[in-house]
Amino acid sequence: MEHAERLLAAAGELFYRQGVRAVGMDEVRAASGVSLKRLYQCFPSKEALVVAWLERRDEQWMSSLTSYVRERGDRVEAVFEWLERWFGEDGFRGCGFLNAYGELGATSEAVAEVVRRHKRRLRDLLRELAGDDDALAEQLFILVEGATVTAMVDPGRAAATARAAGRAARALTSPHQD
Amino acid sequence: MEHAERLLAAAGELFYRQGVRAVGMDEVRAASGVSLKRLYQCFPSKEALVVAWLERRDEQWMSSLTSYVRERGDRVEAVFEWLERWFGEDGFRGCGFLNAYGELGATSEAVAEVVRRHKRRLRDLLRELAGDDDALAEQLFILVEGATVTAMVDPGRAAATARAAGRAARALTSPHQD
DNA sequence: TTGAACGGAGAACGATCGTTCTCTATGCTA
DNA sequence: TAGCATAGAGAACGATCGTTCTCCGTTCAA
């Protein structure tokens, strides 16, 4: 359906930029150009819209990161190059999943579940890039998460943050080589 | 004033557990036992209450972490031992500052500012523990932030997350010694 | 040309929000 | 005892929320 896509794009932009609870359904209607009646035909509640947004964001975010690192020979460093680009995008405001979890995770189990699923997928990708080294993958995951929230709070130094995390990743991946 | 402390304790618990916007002022009144009239005498608006909560939390959180590492000879590893304890506390739900920033940072400049100030203080402490090595301090900061949000989303593995971050910190601090 | 199904605009609804106001009881001062 | 300031309980207010409903114009089959 055409309308669902317009709704998800408009709602996602608003949710990400302002936080979920700060955005009313009428604001989604105005930004998407889809009538309120059809909005509720596509998504029976605001919670359903939020969950659908996060699922779509998971697919797009993971697919963008995955194809970037695939094109660069599955090197771990490519993850942090990709992060640096992402942090520099207009309107970057941290991890939409972590923000949604902090805001709604205690209230909505459906939101908490889709966030955990996204983080599991990210961890799986990092484990694969780490050659199935679970301990290293966990450290890389922590670096990615830490760099992302740090870049959110201090966007002026976001590029430096991504590079610092990338250097840490390199040191952890090849601890005896520098 | 006695009432302000009761209000901050009750409101902080609610804000941290449920998210700020999910908590109404009447809920704060009920949990604190302070009348609505006096609540607004102590804090002229909800935003003022939120900011005061974050400032108090900054003092308590930083002072708890600082005294813990001081008692252990200012070792960097002590930071991650402290994190592991924190993650295991009842009701742990990640970093209250990051959660507040994600929820309100785009709306309230006062909230954004107090969060940035708290993160600056944490970074300053880590820089001191890192012997004024800025690059190392930045990596330690990223590890602390990453471990905290990871522990929020997956509390069942929070202790393992803290230890993984601690091992990464050790490797980065003494890269040629293991 | 008629009529029935549909869709959009937006009014309406009940709930809840942050904030203020009213009312009454209490205690203190003269 | 009389009068006044104060405080708490909670009603009230206007705004806004998520959600539903009403109205009216359009489309298309017969």
Side-chain angles (χ1 to χ4, degrees):
Chain A
M1 188 172 298
E2 155 87 19
H3 294 105
E5 194 57 31
R6 295 232 307 277
L7 284 165
L8 288 174
E13 171 76 16
L14 293 168
F15 289 159
Y16 179 66
R17 177 158 28 184
Q18 310 181 34
V20 173
R21 298 186 93 121
V23 176
M25 294 298 265
D26 198 67
E27 205 171 344
V28 173
R29 177 203 57 78
S32 64
V34 174
S35 76
L36 219 44
K37 184 192 276 187
R38 215 200 281 278
L39 197 172
Y40 276 93
Q41 283 172 0
C42 293
F43 304 100
S45 68
K46 187 179 186 183
E47 188 186 33
L49 178 62
V50 171
V51 169
W53 159 54
L54 291 174
E55 275 166 353
R56 194 186 83 130
R57 187 176 176 89
D58 174 42
E59 284 166 26
Q60 295 180 341
W61 193 94
M62 284 299 301
S63 131
S64 171
L65 171 58
T66 303
S67 70
Y68 187 94
V69 300
R70 293 279 183 257
E71 288 165 8
R72 280 152 187 85
D74 284 351
R75 288 180 307 109
V76 165
E77 281 113 325
V79 171
F80 296 88
E81 296 165 19
W82 184 89
L83 282 186
E84 182 175 347
R85 293 184 181 217
W86 178 36
F87 296 170
E89 285 177 12
D90 273 0
F92 170 77
R93 228 180 72 80
C95 174
F97 299 90
L98 292 176
N99 293 347
Y101 192 96
E103 190 175 359
L104 307 170
T107 299
S108 163
E109 184 52 37
V111 168
E113 176 54 29
V114 65
V115 173
R116 285 192 289 259
R117 189 160 55 237
H118 165 72
K119 293 306 180 190
R120 211 178 307 131
R121 285 179 184 145
L122 171 58
R123 207 186 303 251
D124 288 346
L125 173 63
L126 294 175
R127 179 160 38 228
E128 184 204 325
L129 300 180
D132 284 328
D133 180 339
D134 275 352
L136 175 58
E138 181 70 17
Q139 294 178 336
L140 295 175
F141 183 81
I142 292 169
L143 286 172
V144 170
E145 297 294 88
T148 304
V149 298
T150 300
M152 165 178 71
V153 174
D154 194 351
R157 310 188 356 166
T161 298
R163 285 194 293 271
R167 278 192 302 274
R170 185 180 225 303
L172 294 169
T173 307
S174 315
H176 302 289
Q177 290 181 12
D178 75 279
Chain B
M1 189 173 297
E2 155 86 20
H3 294 106
E5 194 57 30
R6 295 232 308 276
L7 284 165
L8 289 174
E13 171 76 17
L14 292 168
F15 290 159
Y16 179 66
R17 177 157 28 183
Q18 310 180 35
V20 173
R21 298 186 94 119
V23 176
M25 293 298 263
D26 198 66
E27 205 172 342
V28 173
R29 176 203 56 79
S32 65
V34 174
S35 76
L36 219 44
K37 183 192 279 185
R38 214 200 280 278
L39 196 172
Y40 276 93
Q41 283 172 359
C42 293
F43 304 100
S45 68
K46 187 180 185 181
E47 188 186 34
L49 178 62
V50 171
V51 168
W53 159 55
L54 291 173
E55 275 166 354
R56 194 186 81 130
R57 187 177 176 89
D58 173 42
E59 285 166 25
Q60 294 179 342
W61 192 94
M62 284 298 302
S63 132
S64 171
L65 171 59
T66 302
S67 70
Y68 187 94
V69 300
R70 293 278 182 257
E71 289 166 8
R72 281 152 186 84
D74 284 351
R75 289 179 305 111
V76 165
E77 282 112 324
V79 171
F80 296 88
E81 296 165 17
W82 185 88
L83 283 186
E84 182 175 346
R85 292 183 182 217
W86 179 36
F87 295 170
E89 285 177 12
D90 272 1
F92 170 78
R93 228 179 71 81
C95 174
F97 299 91
L98 292 176
N99 292 346
Y101 192 96
E103 189 176 358
L104 307 170
T107 299
S108 163
E109 184 51 37
V111 168
E113 176 54 29
V114 64
V115 172
R116 284 191 289 260
R117 188 161 56 237
H118 165 72
K119 294 306 180 189
R120 210 177 308 131
R121 286 178 183 147
L122 172 56
R123 208 186 303 252
D124 288 345
L125 173 63
L126 294 175
R127 179 160 39 230
E128 185 205 324
L129 299 181
D132 283 328
D133 180 338
D134 275 352
L136 175 59
E138 182 70 15
Q139 294 178 336
L140 295 176
F141 182 82
I142 292 168
L143 286 172
V144 169
E145 297 294 87
T148 304
V149 298
T150 300
M152 165 178 71
V153 174
D154 195 351
R157 309 188 356 166
T161 298
R163 285 195 292 268
R167 278 192 302 272
R170 184 179 226 301
L172 294 168
T173 307
S174 315
H176 302 289
Q177 290 181 10
D178 75 281

